[in-house]
Amino acid sequence: MNLILLGPPGSGKGTQAKLIVEKYGIPQISTGDMLREAVAKGTELGKEAKKYMDAGQLVPDEVVIGIVKERLQQPDCEKGFILDGFPRTIAQAEALDKILEEMGKKIDAVINIQVPEEEVVKRIVNRRTCKNCGAVYHLIYNPPKEDNKCDKCGGELYQRDDDKEETVRKRYKVYKEQTEPLVEYYAKKGILYNIDGTKSIEEVFAEIDSILQKLA
Ligand code: AP5
């Protein structure tokens, strides 16, 4: 099962991707997580990417396409994968089509998680992420049992550098301009599924799961 999770920043792509991984055992490929890892390691790619990420801008297409191409060739993607945060531009979507065609694969479903701007801002400014295992929390909707400590591994929770309100609004604007056109792109291919992302985490997952069960 080859999936794309589409939606604005904070719509719950990462949260839902982790639930799909648990149930279906296919890997999550998050370009945001891969770029943050490169930033944390201080690689050349990380240094370059950080400038764009901190400003709420997209990292150049060729950089991200290269990372995804390499990742899709790893053996754990053979039985399927979940793309989280990629593609984000029409150029990335076209490049993905080409990469998958060369590999004899195709996307089975694009899950578009819809959430309005004000809800996105509320969610992101209260998001906390585990430094160790990447688990995602929300201080109000999905708080950790102990302050600042991950329920799953005990790791320290932190707030992402790009999660300030001003940057979140910028990211949302970039989403509307550069990523939303993908909704039409995938609708035309007949593989788009729209989901109301304003419901609870469990309700959103139940809706996604009912789509995936028909594909599995
Ligand atoms: P990236 O890391 O991909 O960020 P994003 O798309 O902006 O999405 P987020 O990770 O912010 O949100 P999410 O939808 O995963 O929501 P989450 O589940 O955490 O990208 C960051 C940057 O990297 C980009 O700005 C860009 O610079 C660069 N980049 C990445 N990919 C790129 C690409 N392809 N091309 C170019 N540049 C790229 O949930 C958010 C919060 O809400 C959490 O606290 C969660 O607990 C809570 N929550 C989730 N669901 C619910 C719910 N149903 N109800 C209540 N709360 C909920």
Short mmCIF file of all heavy atoms in Angstrom, two decimals, residues 7-16 30-33 35-36 52-53 56-61 64 84-88 92 119 123-124 126-128 136-138 141-142 160 162-163 171 197-201 204, ligand 1:
data_model
loop_
_atom_site.label_atom_id
_atom_site.label_comp_id
_atom_site.label_asym_id
_atom_site.label_seq_id
_atom_site.Cartn_x
_atom_site.Cartn_y
_atom_site.Cartn_z
N GLY A 7 -2.02 17.79 3.46
CA GLY A 7 -2.76 18.64 4.40
C GLY A 7 -1.86 19.74 4.89
O GLY A 7 -0.63 19.63 4.84
N PRO A 8 -2.46 20.83 5.41
CA PRO A 8 -1.65 21.95 5.88
C PRO A 8 -0.80 21.58 7.08
O PRO A 8 -1.01 20.53 7.69
CB PRO A 8 -2.71 23.00 6.27
CG PRO A 8 -3.98 22.27 6.42
CD PRO A 8 -3.90 21.07 5.55
N PRO A 9 0.16 22.46 7.44
CA PRO A 9 0.96 22.21 8.64
C PRO A 9 0.00 22.02 9.82
O PRO A 9 -1.01 22.73 9.93
CB PRO A 9 1.78 23.49 8.82
CG PRO A 9 1.27 24.47 7.84
CD PRO A 9 0.52 23.72 6.79
N GLY A 10 0.30 21.06 10.68
CA GLY A 10 -0.52 20.88 11.88
C GLY A 10 -1.84 20.18 11.65
O GLY A 10 -2.66 20.07 12.56
N SER A 11 -2.07 19.65 10.45
CA SER A 11 -3.36 18.99 10.19
C SER A 11 -3.40 17.60 10.81
O SER A 11 -4.46 16.98 10.86
CB SER A 11 -3.63 18.93 8.68
OG SER A 11 -2.55 18.31 8.02
N GLY A 12 -2.24 17.10 11.24
CA GLY A 12 -2.21 15.78 11.88
C GLY A 12 -1.59 14.70 11.00
O GLY A 12 -1.76 13.51 11.27
N LYS A 13 -0.83 15.10 9.99
CA LYS A 13 -0.22 14.10 9.09
C LYS A 13 0.71 13.17 9.87
O LYS A 13 0.64 11.95 9.74
CB LYS A 13 0.58 14.81 7.97
CG LYS A 13 -0.25 15.74 7.11
CD LYS A 13 0.57 16.37 6.00
CE LYS A 13 1.67 17.32 6.47
NZ LYS A 13 1.18 18.52 7.19
N GLY A 14 1.59 13.76 10.68
CA GLY A 14 2.55 12.95 11.44
C GLY A 14 1.85 12.05 12.44
O GLY A 14 2.20 10.87 12.58
N THR A 15 0.86 12.61 13.12
CA THR A 15 0.11 11.83 14.13
C THR A 15 -0.57 10.64 13.48
O THR A 15 -0.48 9.51 13.96
CB THR A 15 -0.97 12.76 14.78
OG1 THR A 15 -0.30 13.87 15.37
CG2 THR A 15 -1.79 12.02 15.82
N GLN A 16 -1.24 10.87 12.36
CA GLN A 16 -1.95 9.78 11.67
C GLN A 16 -0.97 8.80 11.04
O GLN A 16 -1.21 7.60 11.04
CB GLN A 16 -2.92 10.35 10.61
CG GLN A 16 -4.04 11.21 11.20
CD GLN A 16 -4.94 10.44 12.18
OE1 GLN A 16 -5.16 9.24 12.03
NE2 GLN A 16 -5.45 11.15 13.18
N SER A 30 8.88 10.91 6.33
CA SER A 30 8.57 12.32 6.59
C SER A 30 9.75 13.17 6.15
O SER A 30 10.83 13.09 6.74
CB SER A 30 8.29 12.51 8.08
OG SER A 30 8.45 13.88 8.42
N THR A 31 9.53 13.98 5.11
CA THR A 31 10.64 14.83 4.65
C THR A 31 11.01 15.85 5.73
O THR A 31 12.18 16.18 5.91
CB THR A 31 10.29 15.54 3.32
OG1 THR A 31 8.94 15.98 3.36
CG2 THR A 31 10.50 14.63 2.15
N GLY A 32 10.01 16.31 6.49
CA GLY A 32 10.28 17.26 7.58
C GLY A 32 11.21 16.62 8.61
O GLY A 32 12.21 17.22 9.02
N ASP A 33 10.91 15.37 9.01
CA ASP A 33 11.77 14.68 10.01
C ASP A 33 13.17 14.46 9.45
O ASP A 33 14.16 14.63 10.15
CB ASP A 33 11.17 13.31 10.37
CG ASP A 33 9.95 13.44 11.29
OD1 ASP A 33 9.68 14.55 11.78
OD2 ASP A 33 9.26 12.42 11.49
N LEU A 35 14.74 16.21 7.20
CA LEU A 35 15.46 17.50 7.14
C LEU A 35 15.88 17.94 8.55
O LEU A 35 17.00 18.41 8.75
CB LEU A 35 14.59 18.57 6.48
CG LEU A 35 14.31 18.36 4.98
CD1 LEU A 35 13.22 19.30 4.48
CD2 LEU A 35 15.58 18.58 4.16
N ARG A 36 14.98 17.75 9.53
CA ARG A 36 15.35 18.13 10.92
C ARG A 36 16.52 17.28 11.43
O ARG A 36 17.37 17.78 12.16
CB ARG A 36 14.14 18.00 11.86
CG ARG A 36 13.21 19.24 11.81
CD ARG A 36 12.09 19.15 12.81
NE ARG A 36 11.13 18.13 12.48
CZ ARG A 36 10.15 18.28 11.57
NH1 ARG A 36 10.00 19.42 10.94
NH2 ARG A 36 9.33 17.30 11.30
N TYR A 52 15.72 27.83 5.10
CA TYR A 52 14.36 27.83 4.56
C TYR A 52 13.34 27.46 5.64
O TYR A 52 12.29 28.07 5.76
CB TYR A 52 14.24 26.82 3.40
CG TYR A 52 15.12 27.16 2.22
CD1 TYR A 52 16.37 26.58 2.05
CD2 TYR A 52 14.69 28.10 1.28
CE1 TYR A 52 17.17 26.89 0.97
CE2 TYR A 52 15.49 28.41 0.19
CZ TYR A 52 16.73 27.81 0.04
OH TYR A 52 17.52 28.13 -1.03
N MET A 53 13.66 26.44 6.42
CA MET A 53 12.71 25.94 7.42
C MET A 53 12.40 27.00 8.47
O MET A 53 11.25 27.21 8.82
CB MET A 53 13.27 24.67 8.07
CG MET A 53 13.39 23.54 7.08
SD MET A 53 14.29 22.14 7.71
CE MET A 53 13.01 21.30 8.63
N GLY A 56 9.96 29.43 7.35
CA GLY A 56 8.65 28.92 6.96
C GLY A 56 8.51 28.68 5.46
O GLY A 56 7.41 28.50 4.95
N GLN A 57 9.65 28.68 4.76
CA GLN A 57 9.65 28.47 3.30
C GLN A 57 9.92 27.01 2.97
O GLN A 57 10.45 26.29 3.81
CB GLN A 57 10.79 29.28 2.66
CG GLN A 57 10.73 30.77 2.89
CD GLN A 57 9.74 31.45 1.96
OE1 GLN A 57 9.03 30.80 1.21
NE2 GLN A 57 9.68 32.77 2.02
N LEU A 58 9.62 26.62 1.74
CA LEU A 58 9.94 25.26 1.32
C LEU A 58 11.41 25.16 0.94
O LEU A 58 11.98 26.09 0.36
CB LEU A 58 9.10 24.85 0.11
CG LEU A 58 7.59 24.75 0.33
CD1 LEU A 58 6.90 24.27 -0.95
CD2 LEU A 58 7.25 23.82 1.48
N VAL A 59 12.00 24.02 1.26
CA VAL A 59 13.37 23.71 0.84
C VAL A 59 13.30 23.45 -0.68
O VAL A 59 12.29 22.93 -1.17
CB VAL A 59 13.86 22.46 1.63
CG1 VAL A 59 15.19 21.96 1.13
CG2 VAL A 59 13.91 22.79 3.13
N PRO A 60 14.34 23.83 -1.46
CA PRO A 60 14.24 23.66 -2.92
C PRO A 60 13.88 22.23 -3.35
O PRO A 60 14.34 21.26 -2.74
CB PRO A 60 15.65 24.04 -3.40
CG PRO A 60 16.18 24.96 -2.35
CD PRO A 60 15.58 24.48 -1.05
N ASP A 61 13.05 22.15 -4.40
CA ASP A 61 12.55 20.85 -4.88
C ASP A 61 13.65 19.82 -5.09
O ASP A 61 13.53 18.67 -4.67
CB ASP A 61 11.80 21.05 -6.22
CG ASP A 61 10.46 21.72 -6.04
OD1 ASP A 61 9.88 21.63 -4.93
OD2 ASP A 61 9.97 22.32 -7.02
N VAL A 64 14.86 18.02 -1.92
CA VAL A 64 13.91 17.09 -1.29
C VAL A 64 13.66 15.87 -2.19
O VAL A 64 13.56 14.74 -1.70
CB VAL A 64 12.58 17.84 -1.00
CG1 VAL A 64 11.67 16.99 -0.15
CG2 VAL A 64 12.84 19.15 -0.32
N ASP A 84 4.80 11.51 4.10
CA ASP A 84 4.23 12.52 5.01
C ASP A 84 4.98 13.83 4.76
O ASP A 84 6.14 13.95 5.10
CB ASP A 84 4.41 11.98 6.45
CG ASP A 84 4.31 13.07 7.52
OD1 ASP A 84 3.90 14.19 7.21
OD2 ASP A 84 4.66 12.76 8.68
N GLY A 85 4.29 14.78 4.12
CA GLY A 85 4.94 16.07 3.85
C GLY A 85 5.63 16.12 2.50
O GLY A 85 6.37 17.06 2.21
N PHE A 86 5.42 15.13 1.68
CA PHE A 86 5.96 15.08 0.31
C PHE A 86 4.94 14.34 -0.54
O PHE A 86 4.43 13.32 -0.11
CB PHE A 86 7.29 14.33 0.28
CG PHE A 86 7.91 14.27 -1.10
CD1 PHE A 86 8.83 15.22 -1.50
CD2 PHE A 86 7.55 13.27 -2.00
CE1 PHE A 86 9.39 15.19 -2.77
CE2 PHE A 86 8.09 13.23 -3.28
CZ PHE A 86 9.02 14.19 -3.66
N PRO A 87 4.64 14.80 -1.77
CA PRO A 87 5.13 16.02 -2.39
C PRO A 87 4.42 17.26 -1.85
O PRO A 87 3.36 17.17 -1.26
CB PRO A 87 4.78 15.80 -3.86
CG PRO A 87 3.59 14.90 -3.85
CD PRO A 87 3.75 14.02 -2.65
N ARG A 88 5.04 18.41 -2.09
CA ARG A 88 4.51 19.68 -1.62
C ARG A 88 4.40 20.72 -2.73
O ARG A 88 3.97 21.84 -2.47
CB ARG A 88 5.46 20.24 -0.57
CG ARG A 88 4.95 20.12 0.84
CD ARG A 88 6.09 20.57 1.69
NE ARG A 88 5.66 21.11 2.93
CZ ARG A 88 5.69 20.43 4.07
NH1 ARG A 88 6.07 19.18 4.10
NH2 ARG A 88 5.35 21.02 5.18
N GLN A 92 7.37 18.52 -7.44
CA GLN A 92 7.70 17.34 -6.63
C GLN A 92 6.77 16.17 -6.99
O GLN A 92 7.19 15.01 -7.05
CB GLN A 92 7.57 17.65 -5.14
CG GLN A 92 8.65 18.59 -4.61
CD GLN A 92 8.52 18.87 -3.11
OE1 GLN A 92 7.83 18.18 -2.38
NE2 GLN A 92 9.21 19.91 -2.66
N GLU A 119 -7.37 26.68 13.56
CA GLU A 119 -7.17 25.42 14.28
C GLU A 119 -5.70 24.96 14.15
O GLU A 119 -5.10 24.50 15.11
CB GLU A 119 -8.14 24.36 13.74
CG GLU A 119 -7.99 22.98 14.36
CD GLU A 119 -8.33 22.89 15.85
OE1 GLU A 119 -8.96 23.83 16.39
OE2 GLU A 119 -7.94 21.88 16.47
N ARG A 123 -3.12 24.27 17.21
CA ARG A 123 -2.47 22.97 17.39
C ARG A 123 -0.96 23.08 17.43
O ARG A 123 -0.30 22.48 18.27
CB ARG A 123 -2.84 22.04 16.23
CG ARG A 123 -4.23 21.51 16.35
CD ARG A 123 -4.43 20.50 15.25
NE ARG A 123 -5.79 20.04 15.21
CZ ARG A 123 -6.23 19.15 14.35
NH1 ARG A 123 -5.40 18.65 13.47
NH2 ARG A 123 -7.49 18.77 14.36
N ILE A 124 -0.41 23.89 16.53
CA ILE A 124 1.06 23.89 16.40
C ILE A 124 1.75 24.60 17.55
O ILE A 124 2.79 24.14 18.02
CB ILE A 124 1.51 24.46 15.04
CG1 ILE A 124 1.03 23.50 13.95
CG2 ILE A 124 3.02 24.60 14.98
CD1 ILE A 124 1.59 23.77 12.59
N ASN A 126 1.01 24.62 20.50
CA ASN A 126 0.99 23.77 21.70
C ASN A 126 1.57 22.38 21.45
O ASN A 126 1.39 21.49 22.26
CB ASN A 126 -0.45 23.63 22.21
CG ASN A 126 -0.92 24.91 22.87
OD1 ASN A 126 -0.27 25.41 23.78
ND2 ASN A 126 -2.02 25.47 22.40
N ARG A 127 2.21 22.20 20.30
CA ARG A 127 2.78 20.88 19.99
C ARG A 127 4.11 20.70 20.73
O ARG A 127 4.91 21.61 20.84
CB ARG A 127 3.04 20.76 18.49
CG ARG A 127 3.88 19.52 18.16
CD ARG A 127 3.95 19.21 16.70
NE ARG A 127 4.33 20.32 15.88
CZ ARG A 127 4.21 20.34 14.56
NH1 ARG A 127 3.69 19.30 13.94
NH2 ARG A 127 4.59 21.38 13.88
N ARG A 128 4.34 19.51 21.21
CA ARG A 128 5.64 19.13 21.76
C ARG A 128 6.02 17.78 21.17
O ARG A 128 5.18 16.92 20.99
CB ARG A 128 5.59 19.02 23.30
CG ARG A 128 5.28 20.33 24.03
CD ARG A 128 6.36 21.39 23.86
NE ARG A 128 6.03 22.62 24.58
CZ ARG A 128 5.33 23.63 24.08
NH1 ARG A 128 4.88 23.57 22.83
NH2 ARG A 128 5.07 24.70 24.80
N VAL A 136 4.61 12.60 19.11
CA VAL A 136 4.08 13.97 19.07
C VAL A 136 2.95 14.12 20.09
O VAL A 136 2.07 13.27 20.18
CB VAL A 136 3.54 14.27 17.65
CG1 VAL A 136 2.88 15.64 17.60
CG2 VAL A 136 4.68 14.22 16.64
N TYR A 137 3.00 15.21 20.85
CA TYR A 137 1.97 15.50 21.87
C TYR A 137 1.37 16.87 21.61
O TYR A 137 1.92 17.67 20.85
CB TYR A 137 2.60 15.49 23.27
CG TYR A 137 3.17 14.14 23.64
CD1 TYR A 137 4.47 13.80 23.29
CD2 TYR A 137 2.38 13.21 24.29
CE1 TYR A 137 4.98 12.55 23.59
CE2 TYR A 137 2.89 11.95 24.61
CZ TYR A 137 4.18 11.63 24.25
OH TYR A 137 4.69 10.40 24.55
N HIS A 138 0.24 17.12 22.29
CA HIS A 138 -0.35 18.46 22.28
C HIS A 138 -0.67 18.78 23.73
O HIS A 138 -1.28 17.96 24.43
CB HIS A 138 -1.62 18.48 21.42
CG HIS A 138 -2.17 19.84 21.23
ND1 HIS A 138 -2.95 20.47 22.18
CD2 HIS A 138 -2.04 20.73 20.20
CE1 HIS A 138 -3.29 21.67 21.73
NE2 HIS A 138 -2.74 21.86 20.54
N TYR A 141 -4.78 18.88 23.81
CA TYR A 141 -5.56 17.78 23.23
C TYR A 141 -4.98 16.39 23.49
O TYR A 141 -5.69 15.40 23.47
CB TYR A 141 -5.67 17.95 21.70
CG TYR A 141 -6.27 19.26 21.24
CD1 TYR A 141 -5.70 19.98 20.20
CD2 TYR A 141 -7.43 19.77 21.83
CE1 TYR A 141 -6.24 21.18 19.76
CE2 TYR A 141 -7.98 20.96 21.40
CZ TYR A 141 -7.38 21.67 20.36
OH TYR A 141 -7.91 22.85 19.92
N ASN A 142 -3.67 16.33 23.66
CA ASN A 142 -3.03 15.01 23.78
C ASN A 142 -1.78 15.16 24.65
O ASN A 142 -0.66 14.98 24.20
CB ASN A 142 -2.67 14.54 22.35
CG ASN A 142 -1.97 13.22 22.33
OD1 ASN A 142 -2.16 12.40 23.21
ND2 ASN A 142 -1.13 13.00 21.31
N ARG A 160 9.46 22.66 18.30
CA ARG A 160 10.22 22.88 17.06
C ARG A 160 10.52 24.37 16.84
O ARG A 160 9.71 25.22 17.18
CB ARG A 160 9.41 22.34 15.88
CG ARG A 160 9.66 20.88 15.62
CD ARG A 160 8.71 20.25 14.66
NE ARG A 160 8.40 21.01 13.46
CZ ARG A 160 7.58 20.56 12.50
NH1 ARG A 160 7.02 19.37 12.61
NH2 ARG A 160 7.34 21.28 11.44
N ASP A 162 10.40 26.02 14.16
CA ASP A 162 9.49 26.69 13.21
C ASP A 162 8.05 26.71 13.73
O ASP A 162 7.13 26.97 12.97
CB ASP A 162 9.56 26.04 11.82
CG ASP A 162 9.20 24.55 11.83
OD1 ASP A 162 9.14 23.96 12.93
OD2 ASP A 162 9.00 23.99 10.74
N ASP A 163 7.84 26.47 15.01
CA ASP A 163 6.48 26.41 15.54
C ASP A 163 6.03 27.69 16.24
O ASP A 163 5.07 27.68 17.02
CB ASP A 163 6.33 25.20 16.48
CG ASP A 163 6.08 23.92 15.68
OD1 ASP A 163 5.97 24.00 14.44
OD2 ASP A 163 5.99 22.84 16.29
N ARG A 171 3.93 29.43 7.05
CA ARG A 171 3.89 28.07 6.49
C ARG A 171 2.51 27.77 5.90
O ARG A 171 2.39 27.10 4.89
CB ARG A 171 4.24 27.04 7.58
CG ARG A 171 5.73 26.98 7.86
CD ARG A 171 6.06 26.34 9.19
NE ARG A 171 5.54 25.00 9.36
CZ ARG A 171 5.37 24.41 10.54
NH1 ARG A 171 5.70 25.04 11.65
NH2 ARG A 171 4.90 23.19 10.62
N GLY A 197 -10.30 16.83 9.18
CA GLY A 197 -9.25 16.68 10.19
C GLY A 197 -9.53 17.42 11.47
O GLY A 197 -8.68 17.44 12.37
N THR A 198 -10.72 18.02 11.60
CA THR A 198 -11.01 18.77 12.84
C THR A 198 -11.56 17.85 13.93
O THR A 198 -11.70 18.27 15.07
CB THR A 198 -12.04 19.90 12.59
OG1 THR A 198 -13.27 19.30 12.14
CG2 THR A 198 -11.55 20.90 11.57
N LYS A 199 -11.88 16.60 13.57
CA LYS A 199 -12.39 15.66 14.59
C LYS A 199 -11.24 15.18 15.47
O LYS A 199 -10.07 15.53 15.23
CB LYS A 199 -13.06 14.49 13.88
CG LYS A 199 -14.30 14.91 13.10
CD LYS A 199 -14.92 13.70 12.46
CE LYS A 199 -16.09 14.10 11.58
NZ LYS A 199 -16.48 13.00 10.70
N SER A 200 -11.56 14.32 16.47
CA SER A 200 -10.51 13.85 17.39
C SER A 200 -9.52 12.96 16.63
O SER A 200 -9.83 12.45 15.55
CB SER A 200 -11.14 13.05 18.54
OG SER A 200 -11.60 11.81 18.03
N ILE A 201 -8.35 12.76 17.23
CA ILE A 201 -7.31 11.92 16.61
C ILE A 201 -7.88 10.53 16.28
O ILE A 201 -7.68 10.01 15.18
CB ILE A 201 -6.09 11.81 17.56
CG1 ILE A 201 -5.41 13.18 17.69
CG2 ILE A 201 -5.10 10.74 17.07
CD1 ILE A 201 -4.29 13.26 18.72
N VAL A 204 -10.47 10.70 13.35
CA VAL A 204 -9.80 10.90 12.05
C VAL A 204 -9.17 9.57 11.62
O VAL A 204 -9.30 9.15 10.47
CB VAL A 204 -8.72 12.02 12.14
CG1 VAL A 204 -7.92 12.11 10.85
CG2 VAL A 204 -9.38 13.36 12.45
P1 AP5 B 1 7.02 19.29 8.13
O1 AP5 B 1 7.77 18.73 9.26
O2 AP5 B 1 6.53 18.38 7.06
O3 AP5 B 1 5.84 20.15 8.74
P2 AP5 B 1 4.35 20.44 8.24
O4 AP5 B 1 3.88 19.85 6.97
O5 AP5 B 1 4.27 21.90 8.32
O6 AP5 B 1 3.51 19.62 9.18
P3 AP5 B 1 3.67 19.50 10.69
O7 AP5 B 1 4.72 18.49 11.03
O8 AP5 B 1 3.83 20.87 11.30
O9 AP5 B 1 2.23 19.00 11.12
P4 AP5 B 1 1.48 17.62 10.96
O10 AP5 B 1 0.44 17.75 9.89
O11 AP5 B 1 2.42 16.46 10.86
O12 AP5 B 1 0.71 17.61 12.34
P5 AP5 B 1 1.00 16.80 13.70
O13 AP5 B 1 0.58 15.39 13.55
O14 AP5 B 1 2.37 17.07 14.23
O15 AP5 B 1 7.88 20.43 7.39
C1 AP5 B 1 8.61 21.39 8.11
C2 AP5 B 1 9.45 22.21 7.13
O16 AP5 B 1 10.37 21.34 6.43
C3 AP5 B 1 8.66 22.90 6.01
O17 AP5 B 1 8.15 24.16 6.42
C4 AP5 B 1 9.74 23.03 4.91
O18 AP5 B 1 10.63 24.09 5.18
C5 AP5 B 1 10.51 21.73 5.06
N1 AP5 B 1 9.97 20.65 4.20
C6 AP5 B 1 9.43 19.47 4.63
N2 AP5 B 1 9.02 18.74 3.58
C7 AP5 B 1 9.29 19.47 2.46
C8 AP5 B 1 9.08 19.26 1.07
N3 AP5 B 1 8.47 18.13 0.60
N4 AP5 B 1 9.48 20.23 0.21
C9 AP5 B 1 10.09 21.35 0.64
N5 AP5 B 1 10.30 21.61 1.95
C10 AP5 B 1 9.92 20.69 2.86
O19 AP5 B 1 -0.08 17.53 14.65
C11 AP5 B 1 0.08 18.87 15.07
C12 AP5 B 1 -0.38 19.03 16.53
O20 AP5 B 1 -1.79 18.82 16.62
C13 AP5 B 1 0.25 18.01 17.50
O21 AP5 B 1 0.48 18.64 18.73
C14 AP5 B 1 -0.80 16.91 17.63
O22 AP5 B 1 -0.75 16.25 18.90
C15 AP5 B 1 -2.10 17.70 17.47
N6 AP5 B 1 -3.15 16.96 16.77
C16 AP5 B 1 -3.01 16.13 15.68
N7 AP5 B 1 -4.21 15.66 15.28
C17 AP5 B 1 -5.14 16.22 16.13
C18 AP5 B 1 -6.56 16.13 16.22
N8 AP5 B 1 -7.28 15.39 15.37
N9 AP5 B 1 -7.17 16.83 17.20
C19 AP5 B 1 -6.45 17.60 18.07
N10 AP5 B 1 -5.11 17.72 18.03
C20 AP5 B 1 -4.45 17.04 17.07
#
